[in-house]
């Protein structure tokens, strides 16, 4: 059996009953065949500090960078905070962005997000895509997944109960894995 495609999922929310972490968990049920998904928590990543960086990356930063490096692709599932994505995620990306060996360079990435509002994290996702550009990540463009009015789409236990959203999540993962499997052709 060939090696599985290894995806890493990162939620931009630290909240235990997070809608976005729940959406990320729901991805486990709709993975294409031959694909595994691990998640990585950002809770232990300290605030970026250039003085600390000079001494050496904190353990949690090393672990995050290595988890990204080891993955074939990274799925970010993010809330929208004040028309952008949370500082927790930006802070983590700032740590990841450093050095010649920054692990998101040319790494396939995809984004999804859930919000109780009607906009479904459209603005947060656009802001995140701008950072993907800075990091030279391979950013899946379609399909987009903006889960609006999300509070009504999950059970109190955090299970996705909406079939239409589950199918959109399945389609996103399918397109993402197709992208991960397709080789990157670089110009000379
Ligand atoms: C929000 N929320 C929010 N929602 C939105 O659609 N657009 C926005 O700009 C904001 N801004 C915002 C700022 C801050 C500081 C907070 C805490 C919240 C609401 C947000 O979408 C909601 O709290 C989600 O439930 C957060 O995601 P998780 O934690 O459920 O994954």
């Amino acid at each position: 059996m060939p090696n599985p495609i290894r995806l890493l999922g990162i939620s931009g929310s630290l909240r235990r009953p997070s809608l976005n972490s729940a959406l990320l968990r729901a991805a486990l049920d709709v993975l294409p065949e031959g694909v595994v998904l691990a998640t990585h928590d950002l809770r232990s990543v300290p605030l970026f500090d250039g003085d600390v960086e000079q001494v050496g990356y904190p353990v949690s930063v090393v672990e995050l960078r290595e988890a990204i490096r080891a993955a074939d692709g990274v799925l970010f599932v993010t809330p929208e905070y004040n028309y952008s994505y949370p500082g927790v995620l930006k802070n983590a990306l700032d740590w990841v962005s450093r050095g010649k060996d920054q692990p998101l360079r040319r790494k396939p990435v995809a984004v999804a997000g859930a919000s109780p509002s009607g906009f479904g994290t459209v603005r947060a996702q656009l802001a995140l895509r701008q950072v993907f550009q800075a990091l030279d990540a391979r950013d899946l463009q379609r399909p987009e997944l903006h889960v609006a009015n999300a509070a009504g789409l999950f059970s109190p236990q955090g299970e996705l109960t909406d079939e239409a959203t589950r199918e959109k999540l399945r389609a996103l993962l399918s397109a993402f894995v197709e992208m991960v499997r397709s080789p990157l052709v670089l110009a000379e």
Side-chain angles (χ1 to χ4, degrees):
M1 202 176 87
N3 289 337
I5 296 278
R6 290 155 305 156
L7 299 183
L8 183 71
I10 295 179
S11 169
S13 176
L14 303 183
R15 230 165 52 88
R16 303 273 174 224
S18 159
L19 295 166
N20 286 279
S21 300
L23 185 62
L24 178 55
R25 283 196 304 276
L28 290 167
D29 296 333
V30 291
L31 289 176
E33 203 161 319
V35 178
V36 295
L37 172 67
T39 58
H40 197 95
D41 196 304
L42 299 181
R43 185 174 302 277
S44 57
V45 177
L47 288 178
F48 181 82
D49 181 335
D51 293 339
V52 173
E53 183 194 26
Q54 284 215 324
V55 180
Y57 295 132
V59 171
S60 60
V61 171
V62 171
E63 287 172 352
L64 174 62
R65 290 172 65 101
E66 287 312 312
I68 291 173
R69 199 183 316 286
D72 297 310
V74 184
L75 171 65
F76 292 90
V77 185
T78 184
E80 180 167 289
Y81 283 3
N82 296 308
Y83 290 15
S84 187
Y85 60 95
V88 161
L89 183 50
K90 179 64 162 61
N91 181 62
L93 288 170
D94 289 341
W95 276 116
V96 167
S97 72
R98 305 291 285 168
K100 285 204 173 70
D101 63 341
Q102 75 90 349
L104 280 172
R105 181 163 182 264
R106 294 182 180 160
K107 181 75 67 177
V109 294
V111 58
S115 165
S117 84
F119 291 97
T121 74
V122 171
R123 295 160 296 207
Q125 292 191 33
L126 283 173
L128 187 53
R129 287 181 195 278
Q130 191 175 347
V131 177
F132 291 158
Q133 192 178 4
L135 298 178
D136 195 19
R138 288 174 66 197
D139 178 4
L140 181 76
Q141 301 295 321
R142 295 285 188 284
E144 297 174 297
L145 181 50
H146 305 120
V147 181
N149 307 309
L153 307 180
F154 294 85
S155 73
Q157 292 74 36
E159 283 156 8
L160 180 63
T161 52
D162 184 65
E163 214 39 53
T165 302
R166 193 187 321 283
E167 286 315 307
K168 287 179 191 164
L169 187 57
R170 193 191 303 280
L172 174 72
L173 284 158
S174 166
F176 189 37
V177 168
E178 192 179 321
M179 181 179 135
V180 168
R181 286 196 163 114
S182 61
L184 181 62
V185 180
L186 296 171
E188 287 301 312

